[in-house]
Amino acid sequence: MEIKEILFNEHAIADKVKELAARISNDYAGKDLVLVCILKGAAVFTADLMRALSIPIELDFVRAASYGRSTVSSRVITITKDIDTDIKGRHVLLVDGIIDTGDTLSYLLKRYAERNPASLKAVVLLDKKARRIIDIPLAYQGFEIPDKFVVGYGMDYGEKHRNLPYIAVITSQA
Ligand code: IMP
Ligand code: MG
């Protein structure tokens, strides 16, 4: 595996995170907001995003693993760690690093809607729109990216490269 092209450097990411944080701070002003970080990919994005918010929040984590080919909509999503927070009547914002087919987010949105939050929305940094199978209303979206495999800023290839400070396309994913 080789880094082929840097799509977004640290500065571009930081600017986008600030922009998203400003919108979220404005929209949720005076509201009881729970940020739910979708592990592991959203760890870096969440850490930066929440520090750029000007409003108080609570933070929780969910770990969703998916099995099966991502091009098939019948992929199985498994929760290996769920949130501990009681979200009933609270404003919940799911945070993900990248949306691809939409399977993971659609599963989580359904799962948490059943717990009767006051509101339930999602923010994603990267949107691989061309690959979407399930149409999901995204409240906040950072960058739209082409159908290429990316790593860095939390995103991995075989659990590696999450720590790269930039987002890059890799050459081979075989
Ligand atoms: P979805 O359920 O198909 O939307 O896939 C979302 C998950 O697939 C993300 O949270 C990532 O963990 C993973 N994923 C999809 N595309 C990429 C990529 O280009 N690089 C790294 N991980 C990816
Ligand atoms: Mg991964």
Side-chain angles (χ1 to χ4, degrees):
M1 192 226 71
E2 267 175 66
I3 299 296
K4 192 177 177 187
E5 181 198 352
I6 293 181
L7 284 184
F8 307 106
N9 64 22
E10 287 181 72
H11 300 293
I13 297 170
D15 283 352
K16 185 58 79 175
V17 169
K18 264 186 226 142
E19 179 195 318
L20 291 169
R23 286 178 52 206
I24 292 167
S25 299
N26 185 61
D27 294 352
Y28 289 93
K31 290 180 176 163
D32 179 22
L33 177 61
V34 182
L35 282 187
V36 175
C37 169
I38 305 174
L39 295 171
K40 301 177 191 171
V44 179
F45 176 41
T46 304
D48 283 346
L49 182 72
M50 68 180 181
R51 285 179 294 173
L53 294 174
S54 59
I55 54 168
I57 58 127
E58 277 187 33
L59 174 67
D60 210 337
F61 299 91
V62 60
R63 169 83 171 115
S66 61
Y67 299 96
R69 286 176 47 209
S70 57
T71 46
V72 178
S73 57
S74 60
R75 249 161 92 214
V76 178
I77 310 286
T78 309
I79 304 298
T80 57
K81 184 246 172 282
D82 204 354
I83 54 172
D84 309 307
T85 311
D86 182 1
I87 57 171
K88 188 168 189 282
R90 310 187 64 186
H91 295 276
V92 177
L93 184 61
L94 299 180
V95 185
D96 208 351
I98 185 165
I99 180 166
D100 186 26
T101 62
D103 281 346
T104 308
L105 262 181
S106 93
Y107 177 88
L108 290 174
L109 286 168
K110 263 187 217 125
R111 181 184 183 89
Y112 294 142
E114 287 168 6
R115 300 183 191 179
N116 298 113
S119 72
L120 179 59
K121 291 183 176 175
V123 53
V124 298
L125 182 63
L126 304 178
D127 184 356
K128 224 188 258 185
K129 214 168 217 163
R131 301 238 319 147
R132 194 69 37 78
I133 291 173
I134 305 171
D135 188 32
I136 294 178
L138 292 172
Y140 310 94
Q141 164 205 26
F143 302 106
E144 205 173 298
I145 60 165
D147 182 10
K148 290 177 179 169
F149 203 83
V150 297
V151 296
Y153 200 71
M155 263 68 70
D156 75 305
Y157 170 62
E159 291 303 327
K160 297 283 196 284
H161 311 295
R162 294 192 195 274
N163 58 311
L164 293 175
Y166 49 82
I167 294 165
V169 175
I170 56 174
T171 47
S172 100
Q173 40 178 302

